[in-house]
Amino acid sequence: MMTYHDTNEFRIVLGIDGSEIKQKIIDTDNAAELAPNFAFPSRLVRFKPDTPINLFVDMDGTLAHFRQNGEKYIDINGDVRYFHLDDIYEQGYYHPNCLPPEEEVLRAIRSLTNGASPFTIYVLSAVEPRSASAYIDKNLWLDKYLPEVKAEHRVFMPCGAKKADYINLANGELNVLLDDYTRNLQEWVLGKPNNLGVKILNGINDTHRTWQGDRVSGNSIEVAKQLVQIANREIETRNIILR
């Protein structure tokens, strides 16, 4: 069933040759429909959630382990490797048999999907277009480690794009992004008063303390508790009526 919703919105983007392209904006309430459209130059398909309190969770460095340069690991073929950034373009790099989870964050998010938290949970992750298997492998990874978040709540967009561009947050009264990367958080909140960024500390980030907003860290219970406390604070501050 197609759930595309036409809009009267356009934006100007630069094409590969540097020319300007007038890009049509279309909404969908089924994130799985973004997959064949997120890099299509003539239109931008955005996901449109219909709940007031939304938590968008990053994958790389948040739910899934982000390897450091030179880190030893076993690839999808069982071979010993020492990580280089170019490895992310290879077949199977994001496969669940190759890429381990951040266990504490994973358990925290899983606990927030049980209906007891104020959030509706989504995954919001960048996909490298030059990788033939990244989109498939990331879905397989979520099928294994976080099946509670179904395909219709998994939002993928191309690496280098702004995450806020791929979400229509017109209905959201509080839209939280949990991410390990400061730039993503800064772009998420810029000019969007209903958006809130929260940085997850994973042991290798936050070395320069450039993010001035909320941070969470610790074991799964602590991370989940901190996220709920942030949500409750914002619900009270913004006078959000839960429905």
Side-chain angles (χ1 to χ4, degrees):
M1 179 179 177
M2 305 299 284
T3 56
Y4 294 130
H5 310 293
D6 201 11
T7 76
N8 295 319
E9 298 177 65
F10 293 86
R11 67 175 189 167
I12 301 298
V13 297
L14 293 179
I16 296 176
D17 60 357
S19 62
E20 291 187 346
I21 299 173
K22 189 176 183 181
Q23 192 176 56
K24 175 73 173 176
I25 297 178
I26 298 169
D27 286 334
T28 178
D29 51 20
N30 184 344
E33 293 184 347
L34 272 71
N37 292 287
F38 68 69
F40 194 66
S42 66
R43 67 178 183 175
L44 169 71
V45 180
R46 301 178 303 192
F47 176 62
K48 188 176 183 179
D50 59 1
T51 48
I53 312 294
N54 305 304
L55 175 61
F56 295 89
V57 185
D58 172 55
M59 286 187 69
D60 304 305
T62 301
L63 287 172
H65 178 61
F66 190 87
R67 296 186 171 105
Q68 299 185 70
N69 190 44
E71 182 178 335
K72 182 179 178 180
Y73 72 101
I74 306 298
D75 71 11
I76 194 66
N77 299 312
D79 297 325
V80 175
R81 301 281 294 271
Y82 294 89
F83 179 69
H84 184 277
L85 192 58
D86 288 345
D87 293 356
I88 67 173
Y89 307 127
E90 294 190 7
Q91 185 89 12
Y93 179 79
Y94 293 103
H95 193 279
N97 293 343
C98 181
L99 189 64
E102 290 286 351
E103 291 284 0
E104 296 297 337
V105 181
L106 184 69
R107 283 196 286 266
I109 299 305
R110 186 179 292 126
S111 73
L112 295 176
T113 65
N114 63 11
S117 84
F119 298 110
T120 300
I121 307 294
Y122 305 90
V123 168
L124 177 55
S125 180
V127 171
E128 175 50 63
R130 289 172 288 179
S131 169
S133 67
Y135 171 74
I136 294 172
D137 288 340
K138 284 197 170 189
N139 271 295
L140 290 173
W141 195 99
L142 291 167
D143 287 344
K144 177 177 181 178
Y145 289 115
L146 196 58
E148 294 87 351
V149 177
K150 305 301 182 184
E152 56 268 25
H153 281 190
R154 302 173 186 177
V155 185
F156 295 100
M157 25 77 66
C159 286
K162 296 178 181 179
K163 290 188 172 182
D165 286 349
Y166 286 80
I167 308 290
N168 181 349
L169 298 172
N171 295 333
E173 296 184 62
L174 176 62
N175 307 294
V176 180
L177 174 64
L178 180 66
D179 204 302
D180 66 305
Y181 187 36
T182 293
R183 181 177 174 181
N184 289 340
L185 297 167
Q186 291 171 335
E187 292 174 344
W188 182 257
V189 302
L190 185 62
K192 295 179 171 59
N194 287 1
N195 287 12
L196 182 72
V198 178
K199 186 159 188 167
I200 183 74
L201 305 188
N202 58 19
I204 63 173
N205 64 348
D206 206 37
T207 55
H208 300 294
R209 302 285 293 183
T210 52
W211 175 245
Q212 301 302 310
D214 289 300
R215 294 172 172 81
V216 295
S217 62
N219 63 34
S220 60
I221 296 174
E222 292 167 340
V223 169
K225 181 179 179 180
Q226 291 166 44
L227 287 170
V228 170
Q229 287 175 338
I230 290 169
N232 289 337
R233 179 197 72 200
E234 294 298 317
I235 290 169
E236 181 177 354
T237 301
R238 300 164 185 255
N239 295 316
I240 298 173
I241 299 175
L242 300 180
R243 56 181 184 270

Short mmCIF file of all heavy atoms in Angstrom, two decimals, residues 1 22 29 34 42 48 52 68 71 80 90 92 117 130-131 159 164 171 186 188 190 217 220:
data_model
loop_
_atom_site.label_atom_id
_atom_site.label_comp_id
_atom_site.label_asym_id
_atom_site.label_seq_id
_atom_site.Cartn_x
_atom_site.Cartn_y
_atom_site.Cartn_z
N MET A 1 0.84 -1.19 0.00
CA MET A 1 0.00 0.00 0.00
C MET A 1 0.88 1.24 0.00
O MET A 1 1.73 1.43 0.87
CB MET A 1 -0.91 0.01 1.23
CG MET A 1 -1.80 1.24 1.33
SD MET A 1 -2.86 1.17 2.79
CE MET A 1 -3.68 2.75 2.64
N LYS A 22 15.63 21.78 -9.03
CA LYS A 22 14.46 22.06 -8.21
C LYS A 22 13.88 20.72 -7.78
O LYS A 22 13.36 19.95 -8.59
CB LYS A 22 13.42 22.86 -9.01
CG LYS A 22 12.27 23.38 -8.15
CD LYS A 22 11.32 24.24 -8.98
CE LYS A 22 10.21 24.82 -8.11
NZ LYS A 22 9.26 25.65 -8.90
N ASP A 29 4.28 8.17 5.48
CA ASP A 29 4.22 7.74 6.87
C ASP A 29 4.72 6.31 7.02
O ASP A 29 4.50 5.67 8.04
CB ASP A 29 2.81 7.89 7.45
CG ASP A 29 1.75 7.26 6.58
OD1 ASP A 29 2.09 6.39 5.76
OD2 ASP A 29 0.58 7.64 6.71
N LEU A 34 11.05 4.94 1.86
CA LEU A 34 12.13 5.86 1.55
C LEU A 34 13.27 5.17 0.83
O LEU A 34 14.02 5.80 0.08
CB LEU A 34 12.68 6.51 2.82
CG LEU A 34 12.03 7.78 3.31
CD1 LEU A 34 10.65 7.51 3.88
CD2 LEU A 34 12.89 8.47 4.35
N SER A 42 15.32 14.19 -8.36
CA SER A 42 14.20 15.07 -8.69
C SER A 42 13.19 15.22 -7.56
O SER A 42 12.32 16.07 -7.62
CB SER A 42 13.48 14.57 -9.95
OG SER A 42 12.86 13.32 -9.69
N LYS A 48 7.09 11.07 7.76
CA LYS A 48 6.22 11.93 8.54
C LYS A 48 5.58 11.14 9.68
O LYS A 48 4.58 10.45 9.50
CB LYS A 48 5.13 12.54 7.66
CG LYS A 48 4.29 13.60 8.36
CD LYS A 48 3.30 14.23 7.38
CE LYS A 48 2.51 15.35 8.03
NZ LYS A 48 1.56 15.99 7.09
N PRO A 52 3.28 12.56 18.99
CA PRO A 52 3.78 13.84 19.51
C PRO A 52 5.17 13.78 20.12
O PRO A 52 5.89 14.77 20.12
CB PRO A 52 2.74 14.23 20.57
CG PRO A 52 2.17 12.94 21.02
CD PRO A 52 2.17 12.04 19.82
N GLN A 68 37.50 2.17 15.55
CA GLN A 68 38.55 3.16 15.41
C GLN A 68 39.60 2.67 14.41
O GLN A 68 39.76 1.46 14.18
CB GLN A 68 39.21 3.42 16.77
CG GLN A 68 38.25 3.97 17.81
CD GLN A 68 38.95 4.33 19.09
OE1 GLN A 68 39.70 5.30 19.16
NE2 GLN A 68 38.70 3.55 20.14
N GLU A 71 41.69 -0.74 14.43
CA GLU A 71 41.08 -1.70 15.35
C GLU A 71 40.95 -3.07 14.69
O GLU A 71 40.51 -3.20 13.55
CB GLU A 71 39.70 -1.21 15.78
CG GLU A 71 39.00 -2.11 16.78
CD GLU A 71 37.65 -1.55 17.22
OE1 GLU A 71 37.47 -0.31 17.14
OE2 GLU A 71 36.81 -2.35 17.64
N VAL A 80 40.80 -11.90 9.48
CA VAL A 80 41.24 -10.89 10.43
C VAL A 80 41.58 -9.61 9.66
O VAL A 80 42.31 -9.64 8.66
CB VAL A 80 42.46 -11.37 11.24
CG1 VAL A 80 42.99 -10.25 12.13
CG2 VAL A 80 42.10 -12.58 12.06
N GLU A 90 32.70 -1.95 1.81
CA GLU A 90 32.81 -3.34 1.39
C GLU A 90 31.54 -4.12 1.69
O GLU A 90 30.82 -3.84 2.65
CB GLU A 90 34.01 -4.01 2.05
CG GLU A 90 35.35 -3.42 1.61
CD GLU A 90 36.52 -4.25 2.08
OE1 GLU A 90 36.30 -5.34 2.64
OE2 GLU A 90 37.66 -3.79 1.88
N GLY A 92 29.04 -6.48 3.10
CA GLY A 92 28.88 -7.17 4.38
C GLY A 92 29.44 -6.48 5.59
O GLY A 92 29.36 -7.03 6.70
N SER A 117 7.38 3.98 28.09
CA SER A 117 8.06 5.27 27.97
C SER A 117 7.17 6.24 27.20
O SER A 117 6.22 5.83 26.53
CB SER A 117 9.39 5.08 27.23
OG SER A 117 9.20 5.09 25.83
N ARG A 130 27.62 4.36 -1.90
CA ARG A 130 28.64 3.62 -2.64
C ARG A 130 28.78 2.18 -2.15
O ARG A 130 29.54 1.39 -2.74
CB ARG A 130 29.98 4.34 -2.56
CG ARG A 130 30.04 5.62 -3.35
CD ARG A 130 31.31 6.40 -3.08
NE ARG A 130 31.29 7.00 -1.74
CZ ARG A 130 32.30 7.70 -1.24
NH1 ARG A 130 33.40 7.88 -1.95
NH2 ARG A 130 32.19 8.24 -0.03
N SER A 131 28.09 1.84 -1.08
CA SER A 131 28.12 0.47 -0.58
C SER A 131 26.93 -0.30 -1.15
O SER A 131 25.78 0.10 -0.95
CB SER A 131 28.07 0.45 0.94
OG SER A 131 27.86 -0.86 1.43
N CYS A 159 24.58 9.26 3.34
CA CYS A 159 25.66 9.87 4.10
C CYS A 159 25.94 11.28 3.59
O CYS A 159 25.94 11.52 2.38
CB CYS A 159 26.93 9.04 3.99
SG CYS A 159 26.91 7.53 4.95
N ALA A 164 17.68 16.08 9.52
CA ALA A 164 16.42 16.81 9.65
C ALA A 164 15.71 16.96 8.32
O ALA A 164 14.49 17.12 8.28
CB ALA A 164 16.68 18.19 10.26
N ASN A 171 4.04 17.35 12.83
CA ASN A 171 3.12 16.86 13.85
C ASN A 171 3.80 16.65 15.21
O ASN A 171 3.14 16.46 16.21
CB ASN A 171 2.51 15.53 13.41
CG ASN A 171 1.64 15.67 12.19
OD1 ASN A 171 1.09 16.74 11.96
ND2 ASN A 171 1.52 14.62 11.41
N GLN A 186 23.70 19.32 15.94
CA GLN A 186 23.60 20.75 15.66
C GLN A 186 22.66 21.03 14.50
O GLN A 186 21.84 21.96 14.55
CB GLN A 186 25.00 21.32 15.38
CG GLN A 186 25.91 21.34 16.60
CD GLN A 186 27.34 21.69 16.27
OE1 GLN A 186 27.81 21.48 15.14
NE2 GLN A 186 28.07 22.22 17.24
N TRP A 188 20.25 19.12 13.54
CA TRP A 188 18.92 18.68 13.94
C TRP A 188 18.13 19.80 14.63
O TRP A 188 16.94 19.97 14.39
CB TRP A 188 19.04 17.49 14.87
CG TRP A 188 17.77 16.88 15.35
CD1 TRP A 188 17.20 17.03 16.58
CD2 TRP A 188 16.92 16.00 14.61
NE1 TRP A 188 16.04 16.30 16.65
CE2 TRP A 188 15.85 15.65 15.46
CE3 TRP A 188 16.96 15.46 13.33
CZ2 TRP A 188 14.81 14.80 15.07
CZ3 TRP A 188 15.93 14.61 12.92
CH2 TRP A 188 14.88 14.29 13.78
N LEU A 190 18.92 23.19 14.58
CA LEU A 190 19.05 24.52 13.99
C LEU A 190 17.73 24.99 13.37
O LEU A 190 17.23 24.40 12.42
CB LEU A 190 20.15 24.52 12.92
CG LEU A 190 20.47 25.88 12.29
CD1 LEU A 190 21.00 26.85 13.35
CD2 LEU A 190 21.49 25.71 11.16
N SER A 217 24.86 8.73 29.28
CA SER A 217 25.90 7.70 29.31
C SER A 217 25.58 6.73 30.45
O SER A 217 24.69 6.97 31.26
CB SER A 217 27.28 8.32 29.51
OG SER A 217 27.35 9.00 30.75
N SER A 220 22.57 0.38 30.67
CA SER A 220 21.28 0.46 29.97
C SER A 220 20.20 1.11 30.84
O SER A 220 19.41 1.92 30.35
CB SER A 220 20.83 -0.94 29.54
OG SER A 220 20.69 -1.80 30.65
#
